[in-house]
Amino acid sequence: MEQPEDYVSSLNFTQDGSYLAVGTSRAEVQIWDVNSKKRVRNMLGHAERIPSLAWNEFILSSGCRNGAIHQHDVRVARHQIAAMNGHTQEVCGLRWTRDGRTLASGGNDNLVLVWSWPQASSSPILTLNEHQAAVKALAWCPWQSSLLTSGGGTNDRTIRFWNCHSGTLLNTVDAQSQVSGLIWSEEYKELISAHGFAHNNLVIWKYPSMTKVADLKGHTNRLLHLALSPDGTTVVSAAADETLRLWKCFDVDPKKKKSSTEEESRSKGSRPQLASHTLLR
């Protein structure tokens, strides 16, 4: 950062981990080469800070404090190839489907917007307005491409499930706490959520019953971000207590086959033992 008051406002790796996108308070979108630890590109165009980023192969989506979403083709000099203007306040969440054809965005205007790609337009194909607070937490279901999960802030405290083919609200779960992050398990039909006020914890839920499998405690202030390891076993959480915690949440069967005994035990709400988490300061 060039000035003492400047700060990093968002981060996102490419799928292979080779490059890191960095959003800043100076409205810059930077690309860093992970191996060389050098900045290889600095993309301008936004008017205010960049609170959210999401990769879709060589397309990088950036959300701005003023509500704008820009699409950047990082292969070309004139990088901005589309602008989406549906939010009226800060875009605090962005998430692509695996096939790269649909983008979900969440904002401080309490909206979840769903956009089609590459037939981009200035208008979303869906506007989901049931949340009563800002929406930062977004996650697409890995085995059901049309299922989107969203989590609301302090005045909402709900996790909502949407069918994005029809725009139908399928289910609402009272999380009893601000929802700041959501991740689906790659191995099991489970969802992990991160929370701020009032519990500052992580919860693993069994889907679709949404019964609690585990309540993970350790942070002393609100959780700000979640990320899943490439092997799908470990979750890292970052919180306002200025710590990172690594949680061994999911076991992986190399053959992708679960024994009948394991399936039966998980259906009863049990799970592989959670290892002690690791604390990084």
Side-chain angles (χ1 to χ4, degrees), residues 83-86 113-116 119-127:
M84 300 170 171
N85 298 293
L113 303 182
V114 180
W115 310 82
S116 178
Q119 294 80 26
S121 70
S122 58
S123 300
I125 58 174
L126 286 176
T127 298

Side-chain angles (χ1 to χ4, degrees), residues 10-35:
S10 55
L11 297 168
N12 199 252
F13 280 103
T14 54
Q15 187 173 4
D16 64 3
S18 299
Y19 294 94
L20 177 67
V22 179
T24 76
S25 59
R26 292 172 59 87
E28 299 171 335
V29 179
Q30 303 175 2
I31 309 295
W32 288 74
D33 185 301
V34 173
N35 293 324

Side-chain angles (χ1 to χ4, degrees), residues 30 64 79-80 104 118 127 129 131 137 232:
Q30 303 175 2
C64 184
H79 54 87
Q80 186 180 326
T127 298
N129 58 7
H131 283 291

Side-chain angles (χ1 to χ4, degrees), residues 161-275:
F161 297 83
W162 309 89
N163 180 329
C164 288
H165 284 327
S166 62
T168 304
L169 177 61
L170 302 175
N171 191 17
T172 300
V173 176
D174 182 3
Q176 300 180 346
S177 192
Q178 175 191 42
V179 185
S180 55
L182 292 167
I183 292 177
W184 286 95
S185 169
E186 299 287 336
E187 290 293 313
Y188 308 104
K189 289 191 174 182
E190 292 179 352
L191 177 73
I192 186 165
S193 58
H195 301 278
F197 180 81
H199 299 307
N200 306 324
N201 64 338
L202 295 87
V203 177
I204 300 177
W205 309 83
K206 191 166 187 64
Y207 183 81
S209 65
M210 291 305 287
T211 55
K212 287 187 180 182
V213 175
D215 191 349
L216 309 179
K217 298 180 179 179
H219 285 293
T220 59
N221 208 325
R222 64 192 180 99
L223 275 76
L224 303 174
H225 186 69
L226 280 183
L228 185 67
S229 63
D231 66 2
T233 66
T234 304
V235 171
V236 62
S237 56
D241 59 12
E242 300 184 358
T243 67
L244 298 175
R245 293 176 187 261
L246 299 167
W247 309 84
K248 187 75 170 179
C249 293
F250 307 110
D251 279 350
V252 174
D253 186 334
K255 297 181 179 179
K256 303 290 183 180
K257 294 180 180 179
K258 310 297 184 294
S259 69
S260 59
T261 303
E262 182 182 355
E263 287 293 328
E264 181 180 357
S265 66
R266 294 185 67 81
S267 69
K268 295 178 181 178
S270 63
R271 58 179 299 102
Q273 182 178 358
L274 293 173

